[in-house]
Amino acid sequence: MITGKTGVFFMIADPIDQVRTPEIFNKVLPLCGVDAVMVPLHVSPENLVDTVRALFRSPTTRGIVLSIPHKAAAAALSDRCSKGAATANAVNAIRKNAAGELEGELFDGLGFVKSMERYSMEYRGKRVLLIGAGGAACAIATALAAADVSRIAIFDPETEKAEQLASSVGRQYGVHTSIQSDNDPTGFDLVINASPLGLKLSDPLPVPPERLDADAQVCDILMKNQPTPLLQAAMSRGNAVLPGFDMLILQTPLFFEFFGVPGAAEMLRRDDSIVREMLFPAELMDMVRRTA
């Protein structure tokens, strides 16, 4: 029940219809006895700064989660960021501290690495092709660089964004990081779509699947249209695949801790089946287990 005392978390994106975080928050919070809800907000880039600052003027705002395309702009408006968020120049969670400062953090990359570990998909020492250089891609590149991959190549049509990410990650973590002139996945052990390609079924594939190495692992972090056309094509070739649901599920305890809801974080760490069953269809889970 929502009352005058109910706290409010916000999920901000543009577009907004693909986000799944509100479903998780609104499922878990009442089970933990937390009087709070999460509300999705469709906010265009030009209105992001004013919206975030206005929301945090209310004492009932308990935190904000951000998705496409706001993560870089959220880093710029945060007063403080972690090393990982600063390196990636991206933030997907903001809270207000006791001094009134906005603190930004980035959890996408940690969730991605944990999802690979859950399905015993090896990343250490691997050659990585990352498609995209937006907020989620920045988070994944940073987390993989910290986790001892051997090389990261980044392809994005916006070459300047890819160059900035490669330079920042390479400088901070000492991993060979470069831009890729095309989306050819040949020679890579781990191919990751962290771009919006696939949100629309009419989108071109992020990489040509016929160019995948036979033992390449293919990940697509989209929360919509899973299994995406890319993953379907990779599975038809016998490649191991990983959709994006687990990346979200496994970073959710980090969100709850960051927002001061440790009971919810601990509940999901003990057993996250309640949200996995909600977001991760059994047939898709079976496909991942078969290919991993």
Side-chain angles (χ1 to χ4, degrees):
M1 179 181 294
I2 297 176
T3 72
K5 298 179 180 180
T6 300
V8 185
F9 296 96
F10 293 94
M11 174 84 219
I12 294 179
D14 178 23
I16 193 73
D17 65 315
Q18 79 282 356
V19 302
R20 307 300 300 271
T21 306
E23 296 172 57
I24 297 178
F25 270 60
N26 293 325
K27 183 76 170 181
V28 173
L29 290 170
L31 295 176
C32 298
V34 179
D35 185 13
V37 296
M38 175 172 272
V39 176
L41 285 181
H42 187 174
V43 178
S44 57
E46 64 271 20
N47 293 321
L48 179 69
V49 173
D50 290 343
T51 299
V52 169
R53 296 200 181 281
L55 291 174
F56 275 115
R57 291 191 185 104
S58 169
T60 58
T61 296
R62 298 191 57 174
I64 295 175
V65 176
L66 303 109
S67 188
I68 294 172
H70 297 313
K71 296 176 186 180
L77 69 85
S78 298
D79 299 308
R80 296 178 181 273
C81 293
S82 66
K83 176 185 174 181
T87 300
N89 189 35
V91 154
N92 73 335
I94 300 178
R95 68 185 179 190
K96 189 174 185 179
N97 65 22
E101 299 169 314
L102 298 185
E103 296 180 331
E105 187 52 279
L106 185 62
F107 297 120
D108 282 327
L110 294 173
F112 179 82
V113 169
K114 287 177 180 292
S115 72
M116 292 202 71
E117 291 172 349
R118 171 172 262 173
Y119 289 98
S120 301
M121 299 178 79
E122 188 54 63
Y123 53 84
R124 293 176 181 85
K126 300 299 185 181
R127 299 162 297 176
V128 180
L129 173 61
L130 182 62
I131 305 298
C138 292
I140 290 169
T142 301
L144 288 174
D148 299 323
V149 298
S150 68
R151 176 192 172 202
I152 302 173
I154 303 163
F155 172 74
D156 192 293
E158 295 186 38
T159 306
E160 185 176 348
K161 286 172 58 178
E163 289 175 340
Q164 290 173 349
L165 175 57
S167 175
S168 180
V169 170
R171 183 173 61 252
Q172 289 293 330
Y173 293 94
V175 172
H176 177 60
T177 310
S178 62
I179 63 168
Q180 179 89 348
S181 61
D182 56 40
N183 65 341
D184 186 351
T186 303
F188 291 95
D189 309 302
L190 176 58
V191 178
I192 305 163
N193 178 39
S195 79
L197 290 176
L199 283 178
K200 298 177 183 177
L201 292 176
S202 58
D203 287 340
L205 292 179
V207 302
E210 68 276 6
R211 300 285 294 169
L212 289 165
D213 288 3
D215 58 352
Q217 301 173 118
V218 182
C219 308
D220 195 326
I221 71 167
L222 294 179
M223 297 294 146
K224 189 177 180 181
N225 300 326
Q226 289 284 0
T228 62
L230 172 62
L231 294 192
Q232 292 181 49
M235 283 188 290
S236 72
R237 294 174 51 83
N239 292 93
V241 302
L242 185 67
F245 295 116
D246 251 13
M247 185 182 87
L248 172 58
I249 292 167
L250 290 167
Q251 70 179 293
T252 301
L254 304 175
F255 282 139
F256 283 133
E257 281 185 340
F258 182 71
F259 292 138
V261 194
E266 180 58 29
M267 186 192 97
L268 283 183
R269 286 203 173 100
R270 286 196 309 268
D271 182 6
D272 61 17
S273 60
I274 189 169
V275 293
R276 285 169 59 75
E277 292 166 2
M278 181 173 65
L279 299 186
F280 209 150
E283 61 272 19
L284 184 53
M285 196 180 305
D286 289 341
M287 281 191 290
V288 172
R289 289 191 178 119
R290 286 198 303 272
T291 64

